[in-house]
Amino acid sequence: MAKLFREANVLYWAGSLLQFAYDFIDHCLYHSSEPPPFNIPRLRFVNAGLAVSYAQTPPTMSHQKSKPNIPHSGYLVEELISSDFLKYIHNMDCQPMLDPDEPGYEIAEFLVCTQHIQYVKTGSLAFISDYQGAYIFFLDDQLVNESMIDMFGDGNIEVSVSKFEKEHICNKFCWWSGFGLESFRAEEECDLTMDK
């Protein structure tokens, strides 16, 4: 049951961290003199909740109080996703798992940018990793952080945060001047990626 609570907690925090990135994006869009040369995908995590069943124990004698209900079993109930499942970013990486010619690659690039935003705006503390789902819906994500070890479960790879600036390669979303994001990689590497 503890693992289910942890998974539900991760979904809650991941949804909040994704919304945090969208709040930044929307703020930048509002204050920019020109719109970006790309569309901003509007994505979200699946709606989910923790369902718990309880075993009720009757009182043994009429003058005794009934014993407290004890959790019997638990279930993580998630919104049904009926379209094709894609893994956009692996939890050990901050680059798209998809190739540029594959469906969903543009979304994967956008998600890489949301990682950049989350990393910068949390003061290098955390970002969402292991993005997977079906186009606009995500599930089974991971949050990686450096200072709150084991807060988000088994998939939390602390070393990913410390390596982010070395391994993240900016893309067209990160480079848009309206976001004002600093590139972490050497300019030559970013130029090579931009030419692709």
Side-chain angles (χ1 to χ4, degrees):
M1 187 89 96
K3 186 173 182 172
L4 290 175
F5 276 108
R6 194 173 258 176
E7 277 195 51
N9 192 36
V10 167
L11 271 171
Y12 171 78
W13 280 103
S16 297
L17 199 50
L18 182 60
Q19 185 58 52
F20 179 63
Y22 273 118
D23 290 346
F24 171 80
I25 290 166
D26 292 340
H27 175 82
C28 292
L29 290 172
Y30 180 79
H31 291 288
S32 176
S33 58
E34 292 184 31
F38 46 75
N39 291 323
I40 302 290
R42 292 295 167 170
L43 312 167
R44 68 177 179 86
F45 284 94
V46 295
N47 292 314
L50 193 58
V52 180
S53 69
Y54 290 88
Q56 188 169 10
T57 47
T60 54
M61 292 191 268
S62 60
H63 67 280
Q64 290 181 327
K65 290 184 179 180
S66 58
K67 294 181 182 178
N69 291 339
I70 300 168
H72 180 263
S73 58
Y75 307 91
L76 184 62
V77 182
E78 296 177 328
E79 180 177 0
L80 177 65
I81 296 178
S82 57
S83 52
D84 292 339
F85 182 87
L86 294 171
K87 183 137 179 158
Y88 295 96
I89 300 173
H90 187 269
N91 67 349
M92 287 291 289
D93 207 351
C94 51
Q95 292 304 311
M97 284 193 67
L98 304 169
D99 291 327
D101 60 337
E102 290 183 283
Y105 180 76
E106 178 116 345
I107 290 174
E109 276 196 307
F110 173 73
L111 293 172
V112 166
C113 181
T114 65
Q115 287 181 320
H116 190 155
I117 292 167
Q118 293 158 0
Y119 177 82
V120 168
K121 294 300 174 185
T122 62
S124 309
L125 290 178
F127 61 90
I128 300 171
S129 186
D130 202 20
Y131 274 113
Q132 52 187 310
Y135 292 100
I136 65 166
F137 304 108
F138 301 113
L139 63 125
D140 199 28
D141 54 294
Q142 296 296 323
L143 295 174
V144 291
N145 66 72
E146 189 164 32
S147 64
M148 298 168 276
I149 296 173
D150 201 29
M151 179 177 174
F152 299 118
D154 298 336
N156 182 30
I157 316 282
E158 299 87 22
V159 71
S160 296
V161 176
S162 62
K163 291 177 159 184
F164 187 83
E165 292 183 28
K166 292 180 185 133
E167 294 185 358
H168 171 81
I169 299 174
C170 292
N171 59 45
K172 67 182 180 184
F173 293 99
C174 301
W175 288 319
W176 183 54
S177 61
F179 291 149
L181 296 172
E182 181 183 335
S183 292
F184 296 125
R185 299 284 298 241
E187 285 303 315
E188 305 85 50
E189 290 182 55
C190 289
D191 289 341
L192 288 174
T193 307
M194 196 174 207
D195 293 337
K196 291 183 181 178

